[in-house]
Amino acid sequence: MRLSSIVFGALMAAVPAVAGAQAYSCSAPDGVPAIRPDLPSSSQPRRVLPIGSYTLAITWAPQYCRENGDRESAAFQCGGGNRFGFTLHGLWPDGTGKDWPQYCRSTPLLPTRVVSAHLCSTPSAQLMQHEWAKHGTCMAGYSPARYFGQSTALYGRLRYPDMDALSRRPLTALGLATAIARANPGLQPTMMRVTADRQGWLDEVWICLDKRFRYRTCPAHQGGLAPSAPVRIWRGER
């Protein structure tokens, strides 16, 4: 099978303190894994509400693979020669209050070409189907190609601090948010929420955006860790 390779090692070596690389290395196959429909349910019902803002969610892949690497569905992300730092979880429309729209309209399976184009950003075809079905269908006028183009563009412009160095010293949620903010002009610590598992290992960072996809202060109900909460960063294999 022919592979198209994306390798960011040279960029990371040239700018060691601020990394623009979301994937340390990613080889995306021409074909994509089979995906199944993602549908609303009694616990995740269809909910059509006005959009008041957005959240861009990014996942710390080493921790994800630490917890899920033995799953067949994680083989592309966690196996072979692929190595990821932060991956794109998704772009989530938020409501004007605490509730958010979801599963706004029925949708077929994603086109293969759309999945193939974005696997090195969101390294799970099934997660992409879920993100489009649950979140993207609520964005008026958006097709799958436009939705993933928008979310990948927002994700692709992010820069990161030296996560290896941060992992080797005491760190709080505010400390991590501050380090990320320093690497991204216009982004402030109050515009992010950090999440972790029960042992304090970094899970995700949520970045708050306004309706024009500009950084904004997160609302109080956004969730995430308290600023003073300790955070640990699993480095994985480097």
Side-chain angles (χ1 to χ4, degrees):
M1 179 181 295
R2 183 176 64 84
L3 298 178
S4 58
S5 297
I6 301 176
V7 180
F8 295 105
L11 176 59
M12 293 183 67
V15 191
V18 178
Q22 283 75 26
Y24 298 110
S25 63
C26 176
S27 297
D30 290 334
V32 301
I35 54 179
R36 61 187 184 278
D38 187 274
L39 304 172
S41 65
S42 57
S43 61
Q44 294 288 326
R46 179 175 182 262
R47 190 162 58 220
V48 180
L49 295 171
I51 295 174
S53 59
Y54 293 90
T55 297
L56 184 73
I58 56 176
T59 300
W60 183 238
Q63 178 63 23
Y64 174 84
C65 289
R66 181 190 185 195
E67 296 179 347
N68 302 280
D70 58 348
R71 295 184 180 183
E72 183 179 352
S73 60
F76 173 73
Q77 180 171 349
C78 304
N82 293 330
R83 293 192 303 127
F84 295 91
F86 279 105
T87 60
L88 172 61
H89 183 159
L91 177 63
W92 306 338
D94 297 316
T96 56
K98 293 184 178 182
D99 289 328
W100 58 89
Q102 61 181 26
Y103 294 106
C104 291
R105 64 181 189 271
S106 60
T107 181
L109 296 180
L110 289 172
T112 299
R113 66 182 182 278
V114 172
V115 176
S116 296
H118 298 283
L119 268 177
C120 281
S121 299
T122 302
S124 166
Q126 190 59 49
L127 176 58
M128 291 178 65
Q129 180 70 30
H130 171 76
E131 294 301 300
W132 165 246
K134 184 176 181 179
H135 303 292
T137 60
C138 296
M139 296 170 62
Y142 275 70
S143 64
R146 184 182 178 190
Y147 172 72
F148 288 107
Q150 179 68 66
S151 59
T152 301
L154 292 166
Y155 161 76
R157 79 183 188 189
L158 292 171
R159 299 295 179 263
Y160 303 103
D162 186 336
M163 297 294 287
D164 184 79
L166 288 175
S167 74
R168 298 177 187 276
R169 63 176 177 83
L171 188 67
T172 63
L174 177 60
L176 175 59
T178 299
I180 295 174
R182 287 173 178 164
N184 293 274
L187 185 60
Q188 300 297 322
T190 56
M191 298 171 175
M192 285 172 275
R193 292 289 186 262
V194 175
T195 71
D197 69 9
R198 293 183 179 181
Q199 288 72 47
W201 292 103
L202 173 64
D203 178 25
E204 294 197 326
V205 176
W206 299 344
I207 300 169
C208 298
L209 307 168
D210 66 17
K211 291 178 69 173
R212 296 175 63 184
F213 304 110
R214 299 173 301 189
Y215 299 136
R216 69 185 287 261
T217 300
C218 295
H221 64 259
Q222 186 74 12
L225 296 174
S228 61
V231 175
R232 296 188 288 176
I233 298 172
W234 181 259
R235 292 187 297 276
E237 296 181 4
R238 300 292 178 85

